[in-house]
Amino acid sequence: MIESDGLRVGRSAPDHIRQMRVLISAERLRQRVEELAAQIDADFKDETPVLIGLLKGSFIFLADLCRALTVPHLVDFMAIGAYGGGTSPSGAVRLLKDLSVNITGRSVLIVEDIIDSGLTLAYIRRLLLARQPKRLAIVTLLDKKERRQTDLPIEYVGFEIGAGFVVGYGLDLAERYRHLPDINELELLDEEEMTTSA
Ligand code: IMP
Ligand code: MG
């Protein structure tokens, strides 16, 4: 079992995780979400944007962000899955759940948990732009900027982080750890250590 800063990590963590450490505390997340909401309030004044959460990773960020906003807005979700299980080189994804709101002529704000290569979001962005929204902006809580493989305009970024794998606040490793209140960085065992510890 992993003892990580007293967090509720669970009894049977996968054995390839060596350690977890808090990268961004719940308190810093709360403050930053307030700041992002204030910026979005100002930029979308006089509009009623549709917030589109990309499931599942963004559900906690979206829940906090929408409650920090004062502009009227709608909330909708899209669920996407990668073909095969990996991300395709084009970022093409399978649409598991489409929007229930029509976004043509509306202001839209995509709400994402983390952007890595940027391929998934570039694909979603093209898909949504084809529906001719009045305006389309992106807010991501986390940005692994150095990993970007495509040019992507991102209007709002919570935190720029390094290339390490993070979990918590909605983000998962194989569907685990979404409930952790902080963003935690995982330190994974390398293959040699895994064979010796097996
Ligand atoms: P990309 O930008 O197309 O490479 O993929 C971004 C997606 O990969 C995110 O929406 C997450 O689902 C996932 N992802 C990337 N990095 C992490 C991480 O550190 N923790 C959890 N999920 C991640
Ligand atoms: Mg995601």
Side-chain angles (χ1 to χ4, degrees), residues 54-61 112-113 168-172 178:
L54 301 185
L55 293 170
K56 305 175 197 170
S58 69
F59 81 109
I60 293 182
F61 175 42
E112 180 59 309
D113 51 352
Y169 198 71
L171 288 106
D172 73 307
R178 294 193 195 273

Side-chain angles (χ1 to χ4, degrees), residues 7-195:
L7 284 171
R8 292 165 280 142
V9 171
R11 283 182 307 283
S12 53
D15 0 309
H16 59 286
I17 300 175
R18 191 213 313 263
Q19 225 185 65
M20 252 191 219
R21 67 179 185 91
V22 174
L23 185 65
I24 307 168
S25 71
E27 178 55 22
R28 280 182 71 207
L29 289 169
R30 197 192 57 73
Q31 286 169 1
R32 189 69 187 120
V33 169
E34 294 280 341
E35 290 168 6
L36 290 171
Q39 248 181 298
I40 293 164
D41 272 341
D43 294 352
F44 286 84
K45 179 164 56 77
D46 309 321
E47 295 183 67
T48 304
V50 183
L51 270 52
I52 300 179
L54 301 185
L55 293 170
K56 305 175 197 170
S58 69
F59 81 109
I60 293 182
F61 175 42
L62 176 62
D64 285 347
L65 182 69
C66 76
R67 285 177 294 177
L69 289 175
T70 61
V71 283
H73 60 270
L74 312 184
V75 172
D76 205 352
F77 293 97
M78 276 176 103
I80 53 186
Y83 283 108
T87 309
S88 88
S90 66
V93 292
R94 214 151 42 100
L95 212 51
L96 301 177
K97 185 216 170 295
D98 202 346
L99 299 175
S100 46
V101 169
N102 178 4
I103 59 165
T104 304
R106 301 202 66 130
S107 295
V108 168
L109 182 65
I110 301 178
V111 181
E112 180 59 309
D113 51 352
I114 186 165
I115 302 177
D116 187 22
S117 70
L119 293 171
T120 312
L121 203 47
Y123 184 86
I124 299 288
R125 189 171 170 274
R126 282 196 301 276
L127 193 99
L128 295 180
L129 281 176
R131 299 178 187 180
Q132 300 187 301
K134 175 172 147 209
R135 168 181 181 193
L136 180 71
I138 296 173
V139 56
T140 187
L141 179 68
L142 305 173
D143 184 6
K144 289 183 173 174
K145 201 169 181 182
E146 65 193 65
R147 306 244 318 151
R148 194 65 32 82
Q149 286 177 35
T150 179
D151 231 355
L152 187 66
I154 307 170
E155 285 74 9
Y156 311 96
V157 174
F159 300 90
E160 265 184 36
I161 62 170
F165 199 84
V166 292
V167 295
Y169 198 71
L171 288 106
D172 73 307
L173 171 68
E175 296 301 328
R176 303 182 53 146
Y177 310 122
R178 294 193 195 273
H179 65 293
L180 299 176
D182 315 286
I183 296 286
N184 291 261
E185 185 164 350
L186 298 183
E187 199 185 315
L188 302 175
L189 291 179
D190 52 44
E191 279 179 32
E192 195 179 310
E193 287 171 300
M194 281 178 71
T195 18

